[in-house]
Amino acid sequence: MYSNPELVLKGAFLESSICWQSPSNIALIKYWGKYGIQLPQNPSLSITLNNAVTKTKVTYAYSTTGKIETQLVFNDGEAPLFHEKINVFLKSILPIFPFLSQLKMTIESSNTFPHSAGIASSASAMSALALCLCSIENKLFSSLSNASDFFNKASYVARLGSGSASRSVYGGLVLWGKYDEINESSNEFAVPLRENIHPNFATLHDAILIVSDQEKKVSSTKGHSLMHGHPFEKARFEQARANMKVLLSALKDGDIPQFIEVVENEALSLHAMMMTSKESFLLMEPATIHIIDKIRFFRKENKVDICFTLDAGPNIHLIYSEKDKHHVKGFIKNDLLKNGLIKNWIDDCVGDGPKIIKE
Ligand code: PMV
């Protein structure tokens, strides 16, 4: 779609740099299962976070070696596996950015959140890198001066790095994947959901409850592949579409009980898929289940609108809105932390999306 053999430099330029800060996101409707080149089997919907961000600075200069040359500094140190991943990714997108083989790049990347905190670092890292690449293209060729073209392409490129990263180039609620009732939606890139959001959902918060900081037991690549031939494959993709319909209507009408029901159903369905795939993964810890019970009990007893979602790991994302902030913080401190159910937690909320950083 974006292959462009014309994006080739005619001569040298002075060394320059660009820096973007891009957030992670947490899916409410989960993407789990893909086909072709990183295309989703079902549409997904997420909230973009505010505090959990990756900052990526790319310094670039003209080079005549004819190959991609990169140096990576990650959290002020080395990260050979991540560096390798970036090089493979850059090579794969050469038809989109042919000028990359005419550059020497130093990529400095750092996260504001700890590794393995249950926050998708690939979403923030790949979206930040995609945004830097689009900015470099625009600086060199003035080809992406229209903001909507710029973010569309950044989302497309981010998707090729990590599917969920396509959603991180926008703030608020973001949808990725073709969904007939949203005209502009596409499997190729994400679109922000700016209309039909009831004020009840304007200030969503995400308290990330850290049950374990162990490495992920299953990579996303492996997880997605296990959906091929899964006994519930067809049913899961249909369920995700049906849940999307219900969630969009709950968001429009301000229907909190419906929102809670769908969000928790999606989290548990994701884990059910992993538990019942040919190679089975049980990613919840005993404390995860204990906390889910407590959240449901707290909701019922105190009539507070909280719910949980999960990523592909044991940590819990506790979703609530501004009005319940004090109640929820009390629950976390006086119950979950006091009783040793969580090690710590990260206080995050819905954010405005990526920002360019002037240095
Ligand atoms: O973007 P990937 O390939 O790391 O897959 C992300 C999958 C989930 O985080 C489990 C769900 C989602 O939609 O973000």
Side-chain angles (χ1 to χ4, degrees), residues 67-68 84-97 100:
K67 53 179 194 197
I68 295 173
E84 175 62 18
K85 195 175 165 185
I86 286 179
N87 282 336
V88 169
F89 172 58
L90 293 177
K91 209 166 164 198
S92 75
I93 54 174
L94 259 181
I96 301 174
F97 301 113
L100 288 180

Side-chain angles (χ1 to χ4, degrees), residues 25 27 29-32 34 38 44 120 122 162-165 167 216 220-221 224 270 311-312:
N25 67 74
I29 301 287
K30 307 293 182 184
Y31 148 60
W32 199 242
K34 59 180 173 181
Q38 208 88 299
S44 58
S122 61
S162 167
S164 56
R167 300 185 305 241
K216 270 172 122 178
S220 293
T221 311
H224 291 294
L270 169 71
D311 217 330

Side-chain angles (χ1 to χ4, degrees), residues 243-261:
N243 276 344
M244 180 69 86
K245 191 176 166 71
V246 178
L247 186 63
L248 290 176
S249 110
L251 287 170
K252 182 165 169 244
D253 300 340
D255 188 337
I256 294 171
Q258 193 69 87
F259 174 90
I260 290 174
E261 194 179 305

Side-chain angles (χ1 to χ4, degrees), residues 138-339:
N138 196 40
K139 276 202 179 179
L140 297 175
F141 301 94
S142 306
S143 46
L144 291 170
S145 50
N146 173 296
S148 109
D149 292 346
F150 179 91
F151 286 104
N152 221 42
K153 181 161 183 177
S155 177
Y156 178 97
V157 172
R159 182 201 104 225
L160 297 172
S162 167
S164 56
S166 65
R167 300 185 305 241
S168 274
V169 307
Y170 299 107
L173 285 146
V174 187
L175 183 139
W176 168 46
K178 187 65 201 155
Y179 184 68
D180 287 339
E181 283 159 53
I182 304 232
N183 277 337
E184 60 281 20
S185 66
S186 166
N187 281 346
E188 315 253 357
F189 47 80
V191 290
L193 210 70
R194 297 209 172 104
E195 281 162 21
N196 294 325
I197 313 279
H198 190 279
N200 280 354
F201 302 110
T203 57
L204 290 174
H205 285 249
D206 179 9
I208 305 156
L209 309 174
I210 314 291
V211 168
S212 159
D213 52 15
Q214 296 292 300
E215 280 289 329
K216 270 172 122 178
K217 280 194 207 158
V218 59
S219 71
S220 293
T221 311
K222 172 98 195 180
H224 291 294
S225 76
L226 288 169
M227 285 308 289
H228 288 293
H230 193 293
F232 306 139
E233 185 177 13
K234 190 163 168 276
R236 164 59 199 152
F237 303 141
E238 279 167 8
Q239 177 201 34
R241 270 170 211 284
N243 276 344
M244 180 69 86
K245 191 176 166 71
V246 178
L247 186 63
L248 290 176
S249 110
L251 287 170
K252 182 165 169 244
D253 300 340
D255 188 337
I256 294 171
Q258 193 69 87
F259 174 90
I260 290 174
E261 194 179 305
V262 175
V263 169
E264 295 193 349
N265 178 268
E266 276 291 307
L268 295 177
S269 297
L270 169 71
H271 280 253
M273 290 306 109
M274 290 187 273
M275 282 189 239
T276 52
S277 47
K278 196 146 192 246
E279 193 180 333
S280 161
F281 290 94
L282 187 48
L283 303 185
M284 285 188 266
E285 302 266 337
T288 314
I289 295 174
H290 197 159
I291 295 169
I292 289 177
D293 271 344
K294 276 185 172 285
I295 291 171
R296 288 179 163 174
F297 185 78
F298 184 83
R299 178 165 72 222
K300 205 164 161 202
E301 285 299 294
N302 300 290
K303 311 244 175 310
V304 174
D305 298 322
I306 55 172
C307 66
F308 67 87
T309 187
L310 302 161
D311 217 330
N315 299 324
I316 291 183
H317 291 252
L318 183 61
I319 310 291
Y320 59 98
S321 60
E322 180 77 15
K323 69 175 172 53
D324 295 317
K325 186 163 81 180
H326 298 297
H327 239 98
V328 173
K329 286 189 177 166
F331 169 59
I332 295 171
K333 283 183 192 143
N334 304 330
D335 189 339
L336 304 181
L337 276 170
K338 209 179 225 169
N339 291 317

